[in-house]
Amino acid sequence: MPRRRPPQRGATSHRMHYITSRAFTSDLSGHFPPAIPTRSLYPSLSIPTSTRPLHARTLAAAMAATVTSYLAAYTTLSFPALSSHLSPTFTFTDPAFGPLTPPQSRGMFRMFLANAPKSNLRVTVTRPPTSVAGKENVYSLAYACDYTFAPGRVVRNEIESEVTLDENGRVCRQVDGFDLGGWAWQAGGGRCGGWFW
């Protein structure tokens, strides 16, 4: 007659514990109250409502800061500071100059700011930059340039602008729009920009 193997110590108690636990949780499953939203428990708790990923919000904030810093360099009339924000492929376009190549774009800003003491140039932001819907790397803004034109006429140019950043967070494109006829009338004789070069 074969000998009966002695029961392993702890095996029965472990199985009974498992069965009892399942029965216990099963019996009490209907007695727990439904989950209460965190906001109703802590009404003063600030919970972010944005559904955008954190890295996307951080990137958007960094891009907005770059555009703000770029405008600050422009308003302080510092070409080195302004140039430090520009991509090597930066291009500028406006109704007076049309589309400029990268070297021409930098040259335009360099000469414009170099003439600032002579022309009494003042640049002011009239509408802070905001991200264009559907184009998170494009910012819309408005600024004004006040200066004395060469013949002595005072010009105030109200400009609507779009600034685009590249994948490295540098300004790669700026497109300005303004009333060319009004600018030409103030500047005198319809001369559109030869004084920069």
Side-chain angles (χ1 to χ4, degrees):
M1 182 175 180
R3 297 179 59 185
R4 179 178 299 178
R5 172 183 285 181
Q8 296 181 1
R9 180 174 298 179
T12 303
S13 60
H14 175 73
R15 185 180 179 191
M16 288 300 297
H17 174 73
Y18 171 76
I19 296 173
T20 306
S21 299
R22 287 289 299 267
F24 179 75
T25 54
S26 157
D27 290 342
L28 295 182
S29 60
H31 295 279
F32 291 105
I36 302 174
T38 305
R39 190 178 294 279
S40 62
L41 287 174
Y42 306 100
S44 62
L45 182 65
S46 175
I47 300 177
T49 57
S50 174
T51 58
R52 297 172 63 196
L54 179 60
H55 66 85
R57 298 199 302 272
T58 303
L59 179 61
M63 290 192 296
T66 296
V67 176
T68 300
S69 179
Y70 171 67
L71 290 175
Y74 196 8
T75 58
T76 57
L77 311 179
S78 171
F79 179 73
L82 181 143
S83 180
S84 69
H85 293 81
L86 301 181
S87 162
T89 59
F90 169 74
T91 58
F92 176 84
T93 303
D94 79 353
F97 289 100
L100 300 179
T101 65
Q104 290 173 335
S105 298
R106 287 176 178 266
M108 186 278 297
F109 275 110
R110 182 184 294 108
M111 296 302 297
F112 191 43
L113 297 180
N115 276 330
K118 180 180 177 180
S119 64
N120 297 315
L121 173 64
R122 184 164 56 93
V123 179
T124 53
V125 177
T126 56
R127 179 167 55 80
T130 55
S131 178
V132 175
K135 300 178 181 179
E136 292 189 340
N137 65 322
V138 181
Y139 285 79
S140 173
L141 57 106
Y143 68 97
C145 290
D146 295 274
Y147 55 91
T148 302
F149 194 66
R153 291 199 176 192
V154 176
V155 172
R156 178 173 177 83
N157 202 9
E158 299 278 356
I159 300 166
E160 292 284 331
S161 182
E162 278 196 354
V163 173
T164 304
L165 302 182
D166 64 12
E167 65 276 7
N168 297 315
R170 290 179 174 269
V171 178
C172 63
R173 187 167 183 250
Q174 180 173 336
V175 179
D176 284 4
F178 56 83
D179 179 5
L180 181 59
W183 177 87
W185 181 83
Q186 293 181 81
R191 288 172 288 183
C192 297
W195 68 294
F196 285 123
W197 306 100

